[in-house]
């Protein structure tokens, strides 16, 4: 900026005055740059992230609306509807629009929590330990409920020790894998919340 220090200070003071910018600049109606504060001029949209958004699906219900997940420094900063989706065409309901909270909310559990039988407190559990415990329980329940044949000797090869109940948030692909897993394990009671 040219001029002596007093002129520069005066110009800076005038430039900070929206009416002055409106009268002297191109924004004569004062609906754009003339009315913009330095703070709002420095604001950036949440979608102004270093890389392109990741494509995802809303986890809440079986509609399966598509989402764009914007991340900065490895952390999700904005989740919006994906306009390319034939299902939702860029729309999200209020629940889906708030799914950023599900990802980043302070109440989200980051560790496996376990309360042992008769214990009164919850404790953290390593994920590998938790997975081993689940596998042990599944195999044990399958074995104890196993039926090779019925009373007439007809082949059954099934277990009544396991039952599967899918939720309405599971999509087609997940339901396919869900049914395949339970059937492979020998379960016959396989249901979905959406059918009940
Ligand atoms: S945005 Fe709403 S309607 Fe769409 S999948 Fe999520 S919860 Fe369901």
């Amino acid at each position: 900026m040219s001029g002596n220090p007093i002129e520069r200070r005066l110009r800076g003071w005038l430039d900070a005055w929206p009416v002055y910018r409106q009268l002297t600049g191109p924004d004569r109606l004062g609906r754009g740059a003339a009315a913009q504060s330095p703070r709002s001029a420095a604001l950036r949209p949440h979608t102004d992230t270093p890389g392109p958004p990741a494509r995802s699906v809303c986890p809440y219900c079986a509609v399966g609306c598509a989402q764009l997940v914007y991340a900065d420094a490895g952390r999700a900063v904005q989740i919006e509807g994906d306009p390319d989706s034939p299902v939702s065409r860029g729309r999200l309901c209020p629940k889906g629009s708030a799914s950023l909270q599900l990802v980043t909310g302070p109440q989200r559990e980051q560790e496996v929590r376990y309360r042992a039988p008769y214990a009164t407190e919850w404790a953290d559990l390593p994920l590998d330990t938790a997975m081993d415990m689940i596998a042990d329980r599944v195999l044990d329940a399958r074995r104890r409920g196993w039926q090779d044949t019925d009373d007439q000797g007809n082949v059954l090869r099934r277990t009544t020790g396991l039952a599967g109940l899918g939720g309405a948030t599971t999509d087609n692909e997940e339901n396919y894998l869900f049914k395949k897993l339970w059937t492979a394990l020998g379960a016959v009671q396989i249901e979905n919340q959406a059918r009940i």
Side-chain angles (χ1 to χ4, degrees):
M1 185 184 291
S2 62
N4 62 42
I6 294 177
E7 285 177 350
R8 286 203 297 273
R9 280 190 69 178
L10 182 61
R11 173 58 61 88
W13 181 79
L14 287 171
D15 281 343
W17 196 21
V19 174
Y20 176 78
R21 295 199 302 265
Q22 182 179 348
L23 294 176
T24 59
D27 182 19
R28 290 299 165 87
L29 294 177
R31 292 176 173 171
Q36 196 174 37
S37 69
R39 180 183 171 279
S40 62
L43 292 176
R44 290 289 171 268
H46 290 305
T47 54
D48 188 10
T49 50
R55 293 181 185 275
S56 187
V57 177
C58 175
Y60 280 124
C61 89
V63 174
C65 298
Q67 296 180 319
L68 296 175
V69 182
Y70 294 84
D72 196 353
R75 183 177 171 81
V77 294
Q78 176 73 355
I79 297 179
E80 297 193 347
D82 184 350
D84 288 343
S85 167
V87 174
S88 50
R89 292 180 290 169
R91 300 174 180 87
L92 295 175
C93 78
K95 200 168 166 181
S97 301
S99 49
L100 181 68
Q101 295 171 11
L102 178 73
V103 182
T104 61
Q107 292 182 314
R108 180 187 173 95
E109 289 291 351
Q110 305 286 338
E111 304 291 336
V112 176
R113 303 285 286 161
Y114 176 66
R115 195 177 73 176
Y118 307 110
T120 56
E121 301 294 331
W122 291 84
D124 288 348
L125 202 63
L127 180 59
D128 285 345
T129 306
M131 296 299 281
D132 285 345
M133 289 167 67
I134 292 169
D136 288 346
R137 284 160 170 72
V138 168
L139 293 177
D140 182 54
R142 179 178 185 267
R143 188 163 40 238
R144 284 191 286 115
W146 188 259
Q147 297 172 333
D148 243 344
T149 56
D150 65 12
D151 295 342
Q152 285 81 44
N154 298 310
V155 175
L156 296 176
R157 288 184 190 148
R158 68 185 186 189
T159 182
T160 55
L162 299 173
L165 177 61
T169 57
T170 46
D171 56 33
N172 281 350
E173 292 77 12
E174 289 164 339
N175 276 316
Y176 170 79
L177 294 172
F178 183 86
K179 174 74 169 72
K180 196 169 183 175
L181 171 67
W182 288 113
T183 300
L185 286 167
V188 287
Q189 297 104 334
I190 305 168
E191 258 302 350
N192 189 285
Q193 172 203 347
R195 236 169 61 92
I196 294 176

